[in-house]
Amino acid sequence: LIQGEDRIEAAVLRAPVTYMAILDDIREAIQEEGRYEQLPGKWVDERFLEDIGRYDTAGNEDQITVPVLIIHGGDDDVVPVRFSDEFYEVLEAEKELRIVGEEGHRFSDEADEQALAWAIEWFDDH
């Protein structure tokens, strides 16, 4: 995915967290309470922030040189689709953005199957 990395030939991103500002609410909750319930019964703590902070793309988009397919739910209320729109606009590599109708962050089974089919096709073509 990153320039000079020859093991990766193409990438598919699904509802990617491309800009860390999206995590401000999570960061605040972890600082106040020590953890955050990301999904029902699934908690994250400061280790999550430390890990994901290593992958901030802001300012590094030009280092991505492989073809990138971005798949995002049109009604995602966890990672707003506008972040994928913005990321897509600044990518200089071969790229495609597919917005999946009224899907949220967690896709329906049907949309999941479609996203997987698109991913397989993208990897086959690249």
Side-chain angles (χ1 to χ4, degrees), residues 31-80:
Q31 289 172 345
E32 291 176 6
E33 301 176 26
R35 64 184 189 160
Y36 173 81
E37 189 173 20
Q38 186 177 22
L39 296 169
K42 305 289 183 183
W43 296 86
V44 295
D45 58 24
E46 70 281 342
R47 294 172 296 177
F48 170 76
L49 296 174
E50 290 169 10
D51 182 53
I52 201 162
R54 298 185 340 215
Y55 305 103
D56 192 359
T57 57
N60 298 310
E61 299 92 340
D62 62 335
Q63 294 183 37
I64 298 172
T65 59
V66 300
V68 177
L69 170 62
I70 303 168
I71 303 171
H72 209 121
D75 287 339
D76 191 333
D77 62 350
V78 175
V79 178

Side-chain angles (χ1 to χ4, degrees), residues 15-31:
V17 174
T18 50
Y19 301 108
M20 296 303 119
I22 191 73
L23 300 174
D24 288 347
D25 291 342
I26 295 172
R27 185 176 292 106
E28 185 177 312
I30 290 173
Q31 289 172 345

